[in-house]
Amino acid sequence: AIVRALLARVGAERYALPLTHVRETLERRGAVVRPVQGREMLVLRDEVLPLLRLREVVQLPGVPGGGLPGDEEIVVIERGERRAALVVDELTAQEDIVVKAFDGARDGLALFSGATILADGAPALIVDVGSLL
């Protein structure tokens, strides 16, 4: 299948987020983030959304946003009525991608629905938004 995806970078890794699940994007700088019962939440207009950091979800070490506080970007993802704010280091492009299904690694994260080869020849994992929500 061919789908339109938003490409995001976390560290040196690139990930594809299917645009069918992307509601909007915004810069982390200036976003209102508040702790609620020990969890970070994004206050976005009339909504309060759980804040997920893709770096932590995929267990990547390193400094978020390339080392500068607030340089990250936020993708508001949704599936049905469920929404969340996903923090990435950088949004790089939109691209039509070919979805290649794969068998997940034993005891691996069930976070990815497949993989793709980007226009520049680099691989990217396709994030399964449903597994995040």
Side-chain angles (χ1 to χ4, degrees):
I2 297 175
V3 298
R4 188 91 177 141
L6 181 62
L7 304 181
R9 182 185 60 77
V10 177
E13 305 293 325
R14 291 199 283 176
Y15 299 92
L17 300 162
L19 276 178
T20 56
H21 298 294
V22 173
R23 181 170 168 203
E24 65 183 285
T25 63
L26 55 141
E27 290 183 0
R28 170 67 175 89
R29 188 182 322 271
V32 179
V33 176
R34 301 272 188 256
V36 176
Q37 296 182 352
R39 290 189 64 188
E40 283 186 304
M41 304 295 269
L42 173 71
V43 179
L44 182 63
R45 292 180 290 281
D46 61 343
E47 290 184 275
V48 177
L49 305 172
L51 193 73
L52 307 170
R53 296 181 183 282
L54 189 56
R55 175 178 296 282
E56 293 171 4
V57 172
V58 298
Q59 302 169 359
L60 280 178
V63 179
L68 298 174
D71 273 356
E72 302 148 313
E73 297 189 59
I74 297 173
V75 181
V76 178
I77 54 174
E78 65 183 353
R79 184 167 183 188
E81 295 297 313
R82 301 183 71 176
R83 292 183 186 92
L86 185 64
V87 179
V88 298
D89 289 353
E90 180 183 23
L91 296 172
T92 58
Q94 285 185 28
E95 193 172 301
D96 289 326
I97 60 171
V98 177
V99 177
K100 303 282 186 180
F102 64 84
D103 293 331
R106 172 174 274 177
D107 298 328
L109 296 173
L111 175 64
F112 306 108
S113 60
T116 189
I117 303 296
L118 302 175
D120 64 2
L125 293 172
I126 302 167
V127 176
D128 178 17
V129 170
S131 69
L132 292 175
L133 300 175

